[in-house]
Amino acid sequence: MKLVGISGALAGDKTSIVVNQILVHARRFDSSIKTELVDLRDYEIDFFNGAPLADYNEDTWDVVQKIASADFLVFGTPIYQASISGALKNLFDHLPEYTFKHKVTGMVATGWSDRHFLVMEYHLRSILSYFKGLVPTGNVFVHNSAFNMDSDEIIDERVLERLQAFGEEMVSLQQGMKNQ
């Protein structure tokens, strides 16, 4: 099985660090899992304009194919203006409706306000459901205060425990889907 993590931030490291933690914990839980981090900072995703996927640049095509070929996915976003990042929303616009069918699609977010955890529940969950993803009941919001501000290392032990449990839950759910 392959777990692909998407970091939907174009600035800063926090979201990428959180998504990568899920990948690390998933591999520790089941060493046979292959993982890949897709950090949108490393790609030039074309702005969606309604054209067929073949009309977009190679980076756009490459990232869409990585998502489509994954067995399951975790999406990370910083919360800006009480919403997901525009870069992540733009990426979603490139995907066909059934892209996540029979796939676990987890979500993590970073932000400054404790109330921003609701963005995952009321915005991101509906997007993942639209694409027919199986969304775990849990998710992880990481307040920026959970990081060491000098190194962007996660220093909050409770957050690290929640990320580990979430990675394990995602693997277990996807294994259960494969066994049906």
Side-chain angles (χ1 to χ4, degrees):
M1 286 192 310
K2 184 165 186 182
L3 170 60
V4 173
I6 309 295
S7 174
L10 295 183
D13 294 323
K14 290 176 180 64
T15 302
S16 180
I17 289 168
V18 170
V19 172
N20 192 59
Q21 280 291 309
I22 298 294
L23 302 179
V24 167
H25 290 304
R27 273 194 316 268
R28 285 184 188 152
F29 185 67
D30 182 342
S31 61
S32 70
I33 291 175
K34 295 176 178 58
T35 61
E36 181 174 3
L37 175 64
V38 175
D39 189 329
L40 294 187
R41 295 178 297 178
D42 298 333
Y43 298 89
E44 291 186 29
I45 306 298
D46 278 339
F47 188 76
F48 183 77
N49 63 17
L53 184 58
D55 291 353
Y56 294 99
N57 69 21
E58 188 175 330
D59 276 355
T60 304
W61 176 260
D62 186 38
V63 170
V64 168
Q65 292 306 310
K66 288 175 189 284
I67 291 171
S69 66
D71 293 298
F72 59 133
L73 302 122
V74 60
F75 291 92
T77 184
I79 305 301
Y80 299 133
Q81 307 297 354
S83 186
I84 65 173
S85 72
L88 185 58
K89 173 60 172 90
N90 181 59
L91 177 60
F92 285 139
D93 287 342
H94 287 283
L95 302 176
E97 181 179 353
Y98 293 94
T99 302
F100 304 152
K101 189 170 185 177
H102 304 298
K103 297 179 183 186
V104 172
T105 53
M107 48 188 180
V108 295
T110 57
W112 278 107
S113 170
D114 287 331
R115 291 180 294 280
H116 281 161
F117 79 92
L118 293 170
V119 172
M120 286 187 288
E121 287 302 315
Y122 294 109
H123 188 65
L124 187 52
R125 180 179 297 274
S126 63
I127 293 171
L128 299 178
S129 294
Y130 169 79
F131 287 108
K132 311 305 183 250
L134 172 64
V135 184
T137 56
N139 58 61
V140 181
F141 175 79
V142 183
H143 192 279
N144 285 0
S145 65
F147 291 88
N148 176 320
M149 290 303 165
D150 295 326
S151 67
D152 276 342
E153 175 186 357
I154 300 172
I155 56 174
D156 186 321
E157 289 299 320
R158 291 176 307 148
V159 168
L160 290 168
E161 290 169 6
R162 290 180 60 220
L163 290 168
Q164 177 179 345
F166 188 62
E168 292 173 4
E169 177 187 10
M170 288 189 59
V171 171
S172 294
L173 285 171
Q174 190 62 41
Q175 288 172 336
M177 298 233 338
K178 289 286 186 188
N179 292 333
Q180 290 184 355

